Amino acid sequence: MANNDSEKYKLGMIGLGTMGRNLLLNMADKGFSVTGYDKDQKMISKLEEEGKAHNLEGFDDIESFISSLQTPRTLILLVPAGPIVDSVIAELKPLLSKGDIIIDSGNSHFTDTNRRVDELEKDGLHFFGMGISGGEEGARFGPSMMPEW
């Protein structure tokens, strides 16, 4: 991938399990320039296999993934609620820039979301929670997305 921003992805998904992968496929179906990241190569392979029609690419290296995104970056986290969200954020922070956006779609408790908003705001990063309903089928073909602003 070239370093030109016009050739970079517009949105990145972190967590390519059932929900993350299907939501990413849905976005690709609608013409969005998207990519995904997961530590599990099997999940990346599933994304690339199911996303052949869109030539979807996944990453297992966080730095390469972040570098592949247009700035300001928009990231959706679809990882389990709780400490893992904080762990992912800690891994991301050194790679992000002021103005980047992190959307937590793992159904975190609102108090955790509010704490993360306050903590990341200090670094110039935007954070909000966005619950997703509809399960696997909804993620793939029409989720209910509920941003918590």
Side-chain angles (χ1 to χ4, degrees):
M1 170 137 328
N3 289 330
N4 181 332
D5 266 1
S6 67
E7 295 180 27
K8 291 190 174 195
Y9 298 106
K10 293 182 180 175
L11 182 134
M13 179 75 64
I14 297 177
L16 299 176
T18 300
M19 290 295 289
R21 188 175 64 256
N22 280 296
L23 187 57
L24 204 61
L25 289 165
N26 185 337
M27 292 175 181
D29 286 347
K30 306 297 186 280
F32 290 92
S33 173
V34 295
T35 189
Y37 166 80
D38 202 293
K39 291 182 178 186
D40 186 344
Q41 183 59 48
K42 290 178 189 172
M43 295 295 106
I44 295 165
S45 295
K46 276 185 172 184
L47 173 69
E48 292 175 350
E49 177 64 32
E50 294 173 13
K52 276 185 182 177
H54 303 295
N55 201 24
L56 286 181
E57 178 182 20
F59 292 86
D60 64 1
D61 176 74
I62 193 81
E63 290 182 23
S64 298
F65 168 70
I66 294 299
S67 294
S68 77
L69 300 171
Q70 281 185 8
T71 56
R73 297 171 191 91
T74 302
L75 302 162
I76 296 178
L77 307 183
L78 253 164
V79 299
I84 193 165
V85 175
D86 292 314
S87 176
V88 171
I89 291 169
E91 191 174 4
L92 287 172
K93 271 180 61 174
L95 306 173
L96 299 180
S97 304
K98 287 183 180 183
D100 289 348
I101 301 166
I102 302 172
I103 304 165
D104 176 14
S105 292
N107 296 320
S108 291
H109 193 272
F110 77 95
T111 57
D112 289 334
T113 299
N114 292 344
R115 172 181 52 80
R116 293 172 183 133
V117 167
D118 292 340
E119 289 171 359
L120 292 169
E121 188 175 57
K122 294 172 188 168
D123 296 312
L125 300 172
H126 305 289
F127 183 91
F128 68 93
M130 180 178 70
I132 299 177
S133 290
E136 177 180 354
E137 193 79 7
R140 185 66 181 91
F141 300 107
S144 173
M145 302 171 117
M146 301 152 287
E148 172 188 337
W149 208 266

